């Protein structure tokens, strides 16, 4: 089995920083991995954790074969390793009762999660004696009290305790948290790398080009837009096509109604399906005025997807998109 860190691709800066730290034995106790979703931050975090808990590391890499190495690999839908010294924090990852709460965490990573998962263990040595690694997904969602609760541990962690904060919006973190971490930037993936990664997953060449066009350098976006290849958004896409082509308002209302029904994630997937369709039409009619029209519509859909990622409500984003599409 290959070490996780060896499978990180397209991030030369992060690779260099982590490999050097592991080779020199100077791993910082708190990193902030800064970059868009789906570019390898999480793989790098688990890779670093694996190197730290490995029984027979071949610096800078983990051996990939020992029991801790195997248990460091994230599994299941929640992508959590079964190694007890590698702990993942994320909003809503745990049942309220598991972290001593009554209500689910809807907005923030609560101080309860930090107390239960971090502070309760911070004073103890690692279960297996090597290292304790806390990985915080979407670290910008730490509530102020959660961030403050982390501060002291971040400042003077016990020997062998490490933190990796993952964030696409590092500036939303408390300055006091940021200043205690070493920032490592993760760039967007190149189209060539996405092409390779998708072909490794068996995605057909015809699909790859379209997926890459809408994925903005993120494997997560690429996979999401593949997922909606599955039936389900077909009627939504057809409806959207009719809505932009038709003079009557009826179809637009159908689309708006559907957007209202979807949650944010569903709305993003549905719009990715529409974006793909518009991109196809633009390509099919290349060098005609129609192609430009579809390309403009494609851009509008992309902007709407960005608005949803930025927390826009599906209903409002849908309404504004439709009125703009009808004006193109
Ligand atoms: Zn190992």
């Amino acid at each position: 089995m290959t070490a996780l860190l060896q499978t990180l691709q397209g991030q030369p800066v992060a690779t260099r920083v982590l490999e050097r730290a592991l080779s020199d034995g100077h791993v910082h106790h708190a990193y902030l991995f800064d970059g868009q979703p789906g570019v390898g931050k999480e793989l790098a975090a688990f890779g670093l954790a694996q190197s730290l808990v490995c029984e027979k590391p071949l610096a800078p890499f983990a051996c990939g074969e020992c029991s801790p190495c195997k248990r460091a690999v994230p599994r299941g839908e929640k992508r959590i390793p079964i190694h007890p010294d590698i702990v993942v924090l994320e909003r809503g990852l745990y049942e309220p009762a598991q972290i001593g709460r009554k209500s689910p965490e809807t907005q923030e990573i609560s101080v309860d999660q930090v107390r239960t998962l971090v502070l309760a263990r911070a004073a103890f040595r690692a279960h297996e004696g090597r290292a304790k690694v806390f990985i915080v997904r979407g670290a910008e969602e730490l509530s102020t009290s959660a961030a403050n609760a982390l501060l002291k541990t971040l400042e003077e962690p016990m020997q062998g305790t490490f933190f990796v904060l993952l964030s696409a919006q590092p500036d939303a973190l408390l300055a006091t948290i940021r200043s205690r971490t070493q920032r490592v930037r993760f760039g967007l993936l190149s189209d060539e790398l996405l092409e390779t990664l998708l072909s490794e997953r068996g995605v057909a060449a015809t699909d790859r080009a379209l997926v890459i066009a809408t994925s903005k350098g993120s494997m997560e976006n690429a996979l999401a837009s593949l997922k909606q290849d599955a039936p389900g958004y077909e009627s939504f896409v057809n409806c959207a096509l009719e809505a932009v082509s038709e003079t009557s308002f009826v179809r637009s209302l159908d689309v708006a109604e559907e957007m209202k029904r979807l949650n944010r994630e569903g709305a993003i997937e549905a719009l990715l399906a529409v974006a793909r369709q518009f991109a196809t039409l633009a390509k099919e009619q290349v060098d005609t005025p129609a192609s430009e029209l579809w390309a403009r519509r494609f851009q509008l859909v992309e902007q709407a997807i960005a608005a949803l990622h930025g927390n826009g409500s599906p209903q409002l984003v849908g309404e504004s998109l439709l009125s703009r599409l009808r004006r193109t």
Side-chain angles (χ1 to χ4, degrees):
M1 206 171 82
T2 324
L4 288 175
L5 207 49
Q6 282 172 296
T7 65
L8 179 66
Q9 294 188 67
Q11 298 298 350
V13 175
T15 300
R16 202 168 52 238
V17 168
L18 296 177
E19 288 185 10
R20 181 173 301 165
L22 285 160
S23 298
D24 298 349
H26 289 139
V27 177
H28 198 273
H29 68 271
Y31 287 98
L32 171 56
F33 288 0
D34 151 11
Q36 291 304 304
V39 298
K41 299 190 302 295
E42 191 162 320
L43 175 61
F46 285 119
L48 175 64
Q50 189 184 44
S51 291
L52 291 168
V53 298
C54 174
E55 276 171 3
K56 298 171 258 175
L58 318 152
F61 298 117
C63 76
E65 297 292 341
C66 69
S67 157
C69 267
K70 290 184 176 149
R71 286 178 290 126
V73 177
R75 16 188 123 186
E77 219 170 286
K78 295 186 164 181
R79 305 190 313 282
I80 303 182
I82 54 173
H83 196 297
D85 293 322
I86 303 175
V87 179
V88 181
L89 284 82
E90 182 185 11
R91 171 173 59 83
L93 189 61
Y94 301 94
E95 293 298 324
Q98 286 179 286
I99 50 172
R101 281 176 67 83
K102 294 210 168 64
S103 57
E105 297 172 302
T106 51
Q107 306 282 334
E108 301 173 317
I109 303 174
S110 66
V111 68
D112 308 297
Q113 191 170 155
V114 170
R115 277 201 199 108
T116 317
L117 298 178
V118 183
L119 303 189
R121 304 170 198 227
F124 300 98
R125 298 187 63 80
H127 286 274
E128 300 187 8
R130 289 177 190 280
K132 263 183 300 189
V133 187
F134 297 97
I135 296 171
V136 187
R137 285 187 187 128
E140 73 282 355
E141 294 189 324
L142 283 164
S143 72
T144 309
S145 50
N148 282 324
L150 260 189
L151 269 181
K152 204 172 148 42
T153 326
L154 276 182
E155 202 160 36
E156 296 167 13
M158 214 175 121
Q159 173 105 31
T161 299
F162 301 89
F163 290 85
V164 186
L165 277 51
L166 312 177
S167 181
Q169 298 160 267
D171 295 333
L173 281 160
L174 285 187
T176 41
I177 292 266
R178 278 204 307 273
S179 68
R180 285 166 174 79
T181 57
Q182 181 181 337
R183 191 147 163 177
V184 182
R185 289 200 169 80
F186 285 68
L188 295 174
L189 304 182
S190 68
D191 287 356
E192 292 72 31
L193 178 54
L194 285 172
E195 170 82 28
T196 310
L197 295 173
L198 290 168
S199 79
E200 281 169 4
R201 285 171 179 254
V203 178
T206 43
D207 291 333
R208 291 202 297 267
L210 287 172
V211 168
I212 290 168
T214 55
S215 65
K216 291 194 173 162
S218 153
M219 193 60 182
E220 189 166 299
N221 291 346
L223 294 177
S225 79
L226 274 177
K227 220 179 0 175
Q228 41 73 25
D229 244 2
Y233 294 109
E234 214 169 288
S235 64
F236 182 83
V237 172
N238 288 334
C239 219
L241 281 172
E242 287 182 42
V244 295
S245 313
E246 202 183 50
T247 43
S248 112
F249 240 134
V250 181
R251 281 313 199 183
S252 291
L253 293 176
D254 288 349
V255 173
E257 199 54 42
E258 185 66 15
M259 286 287 286
K260 197 164 122 187
R261 201 182 58 79
L262 292 166
N263 61 14
R264 179 167 292 114
E265 211 178 336
I268 289 172
E269 294 211 353
L271 288 186
L272 279 169
V274 174
R276 261 168 64 87
Q277 183 61 41
F278 286 8
T280 308
L281 290 165
K283 281 196 183 181
E284 279 173 5
Q285 303 173 37
V286 73
D287 292 328
T288 70
S291 172
E292 276 179 43
L293 181 61
W294 287 115
R296 264 209 310 283
R297 289 171 170 161
F298 170 76
Q299 281 174 354
L300 291 173
V301 179
E302 273 198 315
Q303 286 165 12
I305 294 170
L308 288 170
H309 278 299
N311 254 2
S313 100
Q315 185 184 357
L316 295 180
V317 169
E319 282 168 9
S320 133
L321 172 64
L322 282 160
S323 86
R324 296 170 76 190
L325 281 175
R326 291 176 61 88
R327 288 201 301 270
T328 57

